[in-house]
Amino acid sequence: VQLQASGGGSVQPGDSLRLSCAASRRPYSRYYMGWFRQAPGKGREFVAVIAWSGKTYYADFVKGRFTISRDNDKNSMYLQMDSLKPEDTAVYFCAAGGPALDDGSSSFEDDYDHWGQGTLVTVSS
């Protein structure tokens, strides 16, 4: 299974971006998908996850600004990022994990076994 992330770019503070992630095929019958990011000089951190059912969980620093969604028919996931801040500058990675028994999900990297290549988001004035 290959994941392809896209939609990154350079924007100004307060702007919006929409990231997309497409899986080449369904990795499991049911699976969760998540976004992680890695800022320059820092480790990778959890951003948001969406369960098969559509239940969502967010890192505190993006609550109210980012919205994760998915289209199971297209094996795709999205991240709508609004009110972007300079500290959101990072490479954003999409990932898929499973099998999602009981509609589970995870915010831990080790629980994901399929990763995209990352897309760069730069927020600067």
Side-chain angles (χ1 to χ4, degrees):
V1 178
Q2 295 189 355
L3 274 64
Q4 180 73 41
S6 61
S10 296
V11 297
Q12 295 186 338
D15 285 351
S16 298
L17 274 177
R18 186 177 189 244
L19 305 183
S20 299
C21 176
S24 57
R25 60 176 176 83
R26 187 180 292 189
Y28 303 97
S29 59
R30 296 189 173 200
Y31 58 99
Y32 46 88
M33 299 186 80
W35 289 99
F36 292 77
R37 71 184 187 184
Q38 186 167 17
K42 296 187 177 181
R44 194 155 56 185
E45 62 182 354
F46 166 76
V47 174
V49 61
I50 185 165
W52 178 258
S53 68
K55 286 193 297 186
T56 60
Y57 301 92
Y58 297 92
D60 287 344
F61 54 79
V62 301
K63 283 181 180 177
R65 299 190 299 123
F66 292 9
T67 303
I68 189 172
S69 60
R70 66 188 291 169
D71 185 332
N72 291 337
D73 291 337
K74 296 181 178 179
N75 297 328
S76 294
M77 170 181 65
Y78 311 95
L79 186 68
Q80 177 66 39
M81 305 187 294
D82 299 320
S83 302
L84 282 162
K85 304 176 181 180
E87 51 264 44
D88 294 319
T89 295
V91 176
Y92 284 72
F93 297 89
C94 63
L101 304 177
D102 299 323
D103 201 34
S105 63
S106 175
S107 61
F108 296 100
E109 289 186 51
D110 288 348
D111 291 332
Y112 291 80
D113 41 17
H114 302 284
W115 290 84
Q117 85 289 0
T119 184
L120 177 62
V121 173
T122 303
V123 185
S124 174
S125 55

